[in-house]
Amino acid sequence: MSQAFAEVLRLPSKQLTKLVFPLQELERHLVPGSRPDFHLKTFDPSLEDIAKSDGVFTATVRNRIEYLSSAVCFIGRSNVGKSSLIKALFSLAPEVEVRVSKKPGHTKKMNFFKVGKYFTLVDMPGYGYRAPEDFVKMVETYLKERKNLMRTFLLVDSVVGIQKMDNIAIEMCEEFALPYVVSISFESWLRAVTYSGIHLLRCFIANITGNLKTNGFQVS
């Protein structure tokens, strides 16, 4: 178990729940049966699984996390906070350089992060304002040809909601039959020292990539 998560476990119960299981607060605002065609199933891991997943994102001699200049994938509009989110995911590996900029369109190429022997995380260039000229060709080619892409995370700005370009990205995922998740980007969460919700996201990624069941993984 990481020292950071051990400190989280010492928090008062209400604060712990808000930090580690933020979706429980969301569920309180959902009205059961309001939409018969809408089936909601929230990700509800145990604290033990969350502790294991933190280990996946922790750099050690046996679990190196490396930046590769040029598969879990993150896409979204320019300046929606993709790189900030990825930086928060890798906060347990501070030596990993994740380039973050306040200027839209800073990411011009696909950035690959190899997470030990577990999976590769991909930071896609943003679409919309100042998107690379070859964005469509580059991204569509990758999404079509990456056969072992476990999940695509589509980040949506919590302030403005789903925009026209976001709908196009959703339609692309549907057209290519890609498993995807629409994630709400809360910049204030990502800047906070506590990284509310990050533990849950790490656990979700570790789960969908099959790494909570990896025999070779041990929690110390």
Side-chain angles (χ1 to χ4, degrees), residues 57-60 65 86-98 195 202:
F57 286 87
T58 301
T60 64
I65 298 177
I86 293 171
K87 187 177 182 67
L89 285 172
F90 290 138
S91 62
L92 297 173
E95 68 277 12
V96 177
E97 182 182 3
V98 181
Y195 292 136
R202 286 185 189 131

Side-chain angles (χ1 to χ4, degrees), residues 2 4-9 11 16 19-22 43 45 47 49-51 53-54 57 88-89 91-92 193-206:
S2 69
F5 193 65
E7 293 177 0
V8 168
L9 293 178
L11 294 172
L16 171 66
L19 174 64
V20 180
F21 300 108
F43 182 58
L47 287 172
D49 281 340
I50 290 178
S53 63
D54 267 17
F57 286 87
L89 285 172
S91 62
L92 297 173
V193 174
T194 56
Y195 292 136
S196 178
I198 289 297
H199 298 286
L200 185 65
L201 181 57
R202 286 185 189 131
C203 190
F204 181 68
I205 294 173

Side-chain angles (χ1 to χ4, degrees), residues 135-194:
F135 173 84
V136 174
K137 181 180 180 180
M138 173 173 47
V139 173
E140 283 195 0
T141 299
Y142 177 82
L143 295 179
K144 280 182 178 179
E145 297 181 359
R146 184 76 184 209
K147 302 302 182 183
N148 61 340
L149 183 62
M150 303 302 296
R151 198 71 90 244
T152 296
F153 288 84
L154 172 61
L155 266 65
V156 173
D157 192 323
S158 62
V159 176
V160 300
I162 296 178
Q163 301 293 294
K164 181 179 179 180
M165 293 296 294
D166 298 320
N167 278 320
I168 293 175
I170 292 173
E171 291 172 1
M172 180 176 64
C173 290
E174 293 282 356
E175 179 184 350
F176 298 159
L178 299 174
Y180 67 94
V181 175
V182 177
S183 303
I184 307 299
S185 174
F186 293 91
E187 280 289 346
S188 59
W189 285 15
L190 302 181
R191 293 195 186 104
V193 174
T194 56

Side-chain angles (χ1 to χ4, degrees), residues 108-126:
K108 295 296 185 183
K109 59 182 179 179
M110 293 188 293
N111 293 321
F112 292 74
F113 297 87
K114 183 181 178 184
V115 182
K117 60 182 180 180
Y118 301 110
F119 60 90
T120 298
L121 188 150
V122 187
D123 182 9
M124 292 281 193

Side-chain angles (χ1 to χ4, degrees), residues 11 22-23 27 31 55 67 69 88 206 216:
L11 294 172
L23 295 181
E27 287 181 292
V31 181
Y67 170 77
S69 61

Side-chain angles (χ1 to χ4, degrees), residues 64-88:
R64 297 181 62 186
I65 298 177
E66 303 170 314
Y67 170 77
L68 305 178
S69 61
S70 207
V72 175
C73 163
F74 286 80
I75 63 175
R77 291 190 302 110
S78 297
N79 214 33
V80 75
K82 296 185 304 301
S83 298
S84 295
L85 176 58
I86 293 171
K87 187 177 182 67

